[in-house]
């Protein structure tokens, strides 16, 4: 087994046809055209191959839908390479037929796919906070606030109802004292002194009583 065949065998695909040359290996599998050379392994889907033509600088170009495979002419005997590529046509037709047959089958599978299993019921949490109590729907009228305490009455000094008469009496006492002294200049001096002191003391007492709060 050559080195290119060993590389191809790693793919695990069965070769329906193959061509090995001094510079590489071409193989046809159920779904791909495989090219193995010293740079690695390249594949092209058979159902996407549209034409095989001459490439640039001594190459053949296998063109597909979006992808291409470049085959160097020096890698294979030229006549054997042409014969191999001619024999590629039935494989391409078979792959296209298989691809078109899989289309409706795939859509049918999607339509009849079983529904997804119902989700599992949520497990009860190990711990959770207790919900807050609901408030009553009927709002109660706010309770009346207690009235503020009445301010204590300020102590007011009551006026003396005898203030005016006492003041008048005090003035009369003073006038009487002055008049007695003036009318009795020759009286005993001790008597005059007693009248003056007594009259002044009584007048001051009466006046002081008239100005008191009670």
């Amino acid at each position: 087994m050559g080195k290119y065949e060993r590389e191809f065998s790693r793919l695990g695909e069965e070769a329906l046809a193959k061509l090995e040359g001094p510079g590489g290996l071409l193989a046809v599998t159920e779904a791909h055209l495989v090219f193995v050379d010293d740079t690695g392994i390249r594949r092209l889907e058979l159902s996407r191959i549209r034409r095989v033509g001459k490439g640039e600088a001594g190459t053949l170009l296998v063109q597909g839908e979006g992808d291409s495979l470049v085959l160097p002419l020096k890698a294979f005997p030229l006549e054997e390479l042409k014969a191999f590529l001619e024999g590629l046509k039935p494989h391409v037709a078979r792959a296209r037929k298989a691809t078109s047959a899989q289309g409706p089958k795939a859509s049918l599978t999607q339509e009849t796919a079983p529904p997804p299993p119902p989700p599992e019921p949520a497990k009860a949490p190990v711990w959770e906070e207790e919900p807050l109590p609901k408030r009553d729907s009927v709002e109660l009228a706010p309770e009346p606030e207690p009235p503020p305490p009445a301010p204590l009455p300020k102590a007011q000094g009551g006026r003396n109802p005898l203030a005016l008469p006492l003041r008048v009496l005090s003035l009369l006492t003073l006038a009487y004292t002055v008049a007695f002294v003036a009318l009795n200049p020759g009286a005993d001096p001790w008597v005059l002194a007693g009248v003056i002191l007594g009259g002044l003391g009584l007048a001051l007492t009466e006046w002081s009583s008239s100005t008191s709060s009670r």
Side-chain angles (χ1 to χ4, degrees):
M1 180 183 294
K3 63 177 181 179
Y4 301 122
E5 284 197 48
R6 285 195 297 269
E7 290 293 327
F8 174 76
S9 63
R10 294 179 183 177
L11 296 177
E13 298 185 37
E14 182 181 357
L16 303 180
K18 60 183 177 180
L19 172 65
E20 186 173 7
L25 172 70
L26 271 175
V28 179
T29 65
E30 286 289 338
H32 295 91
L33 173 64
V34 183
F35 175 51
V36 184
D37 64 357
D38 295 332
T39 60
I41 301 175
R42 281 161 286 176
R43 294 188 294 182
L44 184 63
E45 291 186 21
L46 293 174
S47 60
R48 293 180 175 270
I49 295 176
R50 292 294 176 264
R51 64 185 297 270
V52 179
K54 187 177 180 182
E56 298 179 357
T59 60
L60 285 178
L61 185 63
V62 182
Q63 295 180 345
E65 296 177 0
D67 296 327
S68 299
L69 194 60
V70 179
L71 305 177
L73 294 176
K74 64 180 180 179
F76 304 97
L78 184 56
E79 294 300 327
E80 294 182 11
L81 178 59
K82 290 182 178 180
F84 182 86
L85 294 177
E86 285 292 332
L88 187 63
K89 292 179 181 180
H91 296 288
V92 173
R94 173 186 53 77
R96 289 180 185 176
K97 185 177 180 181
T99 302
S100 61
Q102 289 176 358
K105 184 177 180 181
S107 61
L108 179 61
T109 303
Q110 293 179 356
E111 292 177 0
T112 59
E120 296 182 359
K123 297 181 178 180
V126 177
W127 176 90
E128 64 179 356
E129 295 182 356
E130 295 183 359
L132 297 176
K134 296 183 179 179
R135 298 184 60 184
D136 296 337
S137 58
V138 179
E139 295 184 0
L140 300 178
E143 297 181 359
E145 296 181 358
L152 297 176
K154 295 182 179 180
Q156 298 181 356
R159 300 185 64 181
N160 193 347
L162 301 177
L164 183 59
L166 286 175
R167 288 182 182 182
V168 174
L169 183 60
S170 174
L171 292 175
L172 291 175
T173 302
L174 182 60
Y176 175 80
T177 301
V178 173
F180 180 81
V181 173
L183 293 176
N184 299 286
D188 188 359
W190 290 104
V191 174
L192 293 177
V195 170
I196 292 173
L197 292 176
L200 290 176
L202 183 59
L204 290 176
T205 302
E206 293 171 347
W207 186 269
S208 176
S209 298
S210 67
T211 59
S212 62
S213 61
R214 296 189 181 274

